[in-house]
Amino acid sequence: ALGGSPPRADGASADGSPPPAMSPSGSDASLFDATLLERWEDHLAEGRFRYDVTDCPTKTLEGRFRFIMQLNLGRASKKRQTEFSADNVVQSFDGSKFNFTKARQNEMVFSFQPTLPLHRTVMRKSPSMAEFSNAQTAEEAPNCVLINVSPIEYGHVLLVPRITDCLPQQITLDTLHLALHMAAESNNEHFRIGFNSLGAYATINHLHFQGYYLWQNFPVELAATAPMFKASGVTVARTVDYPVRVLVCSARDSGANLKELARVVSHMCEAFQATNTPFNLLITESGRCIYVIPQRFSRAIANGEVPQDVIDTGVNPAVFEIAGHMVLKRQEDYDQLDEPKTVRMLEQATLSEEDFGSIAARFQRDLA
């Protein structure tokens, strides 16, 4: 039921569902939101998740950044473990490791084929995996939306582009454009999509994006920004005084479009992939804004630069953590982490000002 329960700190009801005014399955919901949430809730009722994420306590920290803290013991103990080395951003697909063609059929939500104009996208119940394996061309390989069986939040799903093509976890123009289309199909500002590269806490080397509904702003969305340059109607800015240095690429101006935004950001991602720089992406504003996050947390650990108490938390800052939604694995961290300690943790992931500035200058030369 939507409503009736006392609200949590993140704005959701105590059972994890959104407050009625924000419900993506309400009367003003897009077909995408209504279909996704209806089927996601069916999966929840049928017990297909490894734990009930709606039982996870959540609170907002006092302070300037308003970090969102979630205690998720189920994700800590039941999430699938990484099966590859984290030191290379670009690795070949390995069919012997877990990939989404091995997902259970009942994890499927629908297949997703964007069409123009937006909001007329075709969503079909997914065919059987045997039918998937008979796909012969890229055009026939379906873009699948699956439940995330180890969810972080309400409505947590995975987008797997061209699932039977078995693409590795790398960004291209076409696949990023697809993710922006999916974001645009949602009529709800609380639905965001994230991407983690290898080395930036992707755990499966099969191309996928993650999306879920969070009923308040990610702290990074509230961060001050400074404009840097424009590229084909896309504004590129950077965060100011946020614990992690982030590029903010937006296509809000008249005449800007999702294809140009995808072109600019995919150029950045391809540069990260070519230089073995781990990175994360956060897609917001129904696909009109992308936070581009080069990071070095795993390398800082390998170099012995991360304080032991930060390592002991077991938090691996992937896209949603860096954006300010902290998924915690221990009760003591949920009880004791305050804003200064959270800032100190996230600062371990950021590039230096010199390295970040060098990357931004290169992008300005390439794109402006």
Side-chain angles (χ1 to χ4, degrees), residues 110-114 126 141-145 159-163 178:
F110 48 68
S111 60
F112 177 82
Q113 183 59 47
S126 295
N143 307 308
C144 285
V145 177
L159 168 66
V160 185
R162 293 162 33 202
I163 189 169
L178 175 71

Side-chain angles (χ1 to χ4, degrees), residues 189-222:
E189 64 182 356
H190 303 285
F191 183 73
R192 288 81 154 197
I193 294 176
F195 174 86
N196 302 315
S197 79
L198 304 187
Y201 298 106
T203 56
I204 298 168
N205 186 22
H206 187 180
L207 180 60
H208 63 287
F209 298 82
Q210 304 185 52
Y212 62 75
Y213 296 86
L214 185 69
W215 315 112
Q216 64 191 87
N217 289 313
F218 279 90
V220 75
E221 294 180 274
L222 302 176

Side-chain angles (χ1 to χ4, degrees), residues 50-316:
R50 291 179 175 166
Y51 50 86
D52 186 352
V53 72
T54 65
D55 287 340
C56 294
T58 297
K59 64 183 180 182
T60 301
L61 286 186
E62 293 183 3
R64 183 158 54 96
F65 295 110
R66 307 288 292 169
F67 292 120
I68 305 156
M69 315 299 276
Q70 181 196 88
L71 178 62
N72 194 326
L73 300 177
R75 190 171 172 86
S77 62
K78 299 177 182 178
K79 185 177 186 293
R80 185 177 287 109
Q81 298 302 303
T82 303
E83 296 184 287
F84 53 84
S85 164
D87 54 355
N88 290 314
V89 173
V90 174
Q91 299 181 40
S92 299
F93 179 87
D94 183 347
S96 69
K97 305 292 176 62
F98 176 81
N99 63 80
F100 295 110
T101 67
K102 300 179 182 181
R104 294 191 303 270
Q105 175 62 26
N106 63 12
E107 294 175 18
M108 302 295 174
V109 181
F110 48 68
S111 60
F112 177 82
Q113 183 59 47
T115 59
L116 292 175
L118 290 175
H119 308 302
R120 294 187 183 176
T121 283
V122 177
M123 291 177 290
R124 299 186 179 93
K125 279 201 169 181
S126 295
S128 70
M129 199 56 76
E131 290 175 285
F132 284 165
S133 63
N134 289 332
Q136 298 298 314
T137 67
E139 288 74 24
E140 293 172 330
N143 307 308
C144 285
V145 177
L146 298 81
I147 59 169
N148 188 326
V149 296
S150 299
I152 292 175
E153 260 298 346
Y154 183 77
H156 195 167
V157 294
L158 306 171
L159 168 66
V160 185
R162 293 162 33 202
I163 189 169
T164 51
D165 285 351
C166 298
L167 304 172
Q169 186 71 352
Q170 298 164 32
I171 290 290
T172 64
L173 170 58
D174 289 346
T175 55
L176 181 58
H177 193 212
L178 175 71
L180 296 186
H181 267 286
M182 180 164 153
E185 285 297 331
S186 174
N187 194 35
N188 192 297
E189 64 182 356
H190 303 285
F191 183 73
R192 288 81 154 197
I193 294 176
F195 174 86
N196 302 315
S197 79
L198 304 187
Y201 298 106
T203 56
I204 298 168
N205 186 22
H206 187 180
L207 180 60
H208 63 287
F209 298 82
Q210 304 185 52
Y212 62 75
Y213 296 86
L214 185 69
W215 315 112
Q216 64 191 87
N217 289 313
F218 279 90
V220 75
E221 294 180 274
L222 302 176
T225 61
M228 300 184 72
F229 62 91
K230 284 204 169 188
S232 302
V234 175
T235 299
V236 179
R238 60 167 294 172
T239 53
V240 177
D241 198 29
Y242 189 72
V244 180
R245 295 177 177 91
V246 177
L247 292 166
V248 185
C249 302
S250 59
R252 303 185 186 102
D253 296 345
S254 175
N257 60 59
L258 298 185
K259 187 78 170 184
E260 280 302 315
L261 180 58
R263 184 188 69 81
V264 168
V265 174
S266 65
H267 175 91
M268 296 177 177
C269 297
E270 288 164 359
F272 293 144
Q273 289 160 185
T275 56
N276 202 29
T277 303
F279 66 97
N280 312 95
L281 303 176
L282 181 70
I283 300 170
T284 68
E285 299 181 31
S286 296
R288 294 187 300 274
C289 183
I290 307 178
Y291 294 79
V292 181
I293 311 164
Q295 66 139 300
R296 63 180 305 275
F297 192 88
S298 62
R299 292 184 180 167
I301 287 182
N303 293 338
E305 300 167 4
V306 177
Q308 189 60 47
D309 63 298
V310 172
I311 296 173
D312 289 346
T313 66
V315 173
N316 297 322

